[in-house]
Amino acid sequence: MSKILFQNQLSTQAAHERLLSILSHPENLPLWDDEISRVVPTTDGYSFTRQRPALNEHELLTVSATANQVRYHSQGGRLSFDLIFTLGTSAGLTTLTQELQLASNSALLIPLKLLVPIAKHAFAQKLQSLITLAESAREVMI
């Protein structure tokens, strides 16, 4: 069982397919998350390293995708979580909703009420960076 910590949502002129492609290939993470310094494909998913200090400096990420959703399942760090990206359409724009779910067995050293607003803001900034990348002509892994 997991607990939803927060949601962020943005709209963009970027094509649904481009966003889905960027998200489906974790090799693109360093292009929109400047804290991630290394992504290495493994037999079980992707191992990646964040710059210090970070709650999870190292983690194993598995990715599952459908036509309208990409789920990142992170484990191996201090905090296990699912980050779910859901794509939709509204008023001719692509909507992207980001939802962070915390695994119920995660043990935190700090109270959730302190972590949630900080994490929500940080994830919103990364979401905006993702949108900026998707709206650009920058080459990405597809």
Side-chain angles (χ1 to χ4, degrees), residues 17-142:
E17 296 78 17
R18 179 161 167 87
L19 276 166
L20 191 64
S21 182
I22 291 170
L23 289 167
S24 296
H25 294 89
E27 298 92 335
N28 292 313
L29 276 163
L31 299 176
W32 57 276
D33 187 338
D34 60 356
E35 292 177 2
I36 296 177
S37 58
R38 192 174 121 163
V39 177
V40 178
T42 69
T43 57
D44 298 326
Y46 297 85
S47 170
F48 65 93
T49 305
R50 294 182 189 277
Q51 296 176 17
R52 292 181 182 176
L55 190 57
N56 285 352
E57 290 177 15
H58 305 280
E59 38 191 308
L60 179 63
L61 184 74
T62 53
V63 179
S64 57
T66 66
N68 294 314
Q69 191 174 80
V70 177
R71 178 183 297 261
Y72 291 169
H73 177 70
S74 174
Q75 57 190 20
R78 287 187 265 180
L79 187 66
S80 294
F81 62 88
D82 286 318
L83 183 58
I84 302 161
F85 296 93
T86 304
L87 293 96
T89 305
S90 177
L93 298 173
T94 302
T95 58
L96 183 59
T97 303
Q98 172 192 64
E99 179 178 283
L100 184 69
Q101 296 180 358
L102 186 62
S104 59
N105 61 349
S106 292
L108 294 173
L109 299 175
I110 59 174
L112 275 179
K113 67 181 181 179
L114 296 177
L115 176 66
V116 169
I118 295 166
K120 181 177 171 76
H121 178 73
F123 276 76
Q125 288 178 318
K126 303 303 180 200
L127 188 63
Q128 182 58 59
S129 294
L130 169 61
I131 295 295
T132 301
L133 173 64
E135 290 177 343
S136 77
R138 187 168 183 188
E139 195 170 317
V140 296
M141 178 76 70
I142 54 172

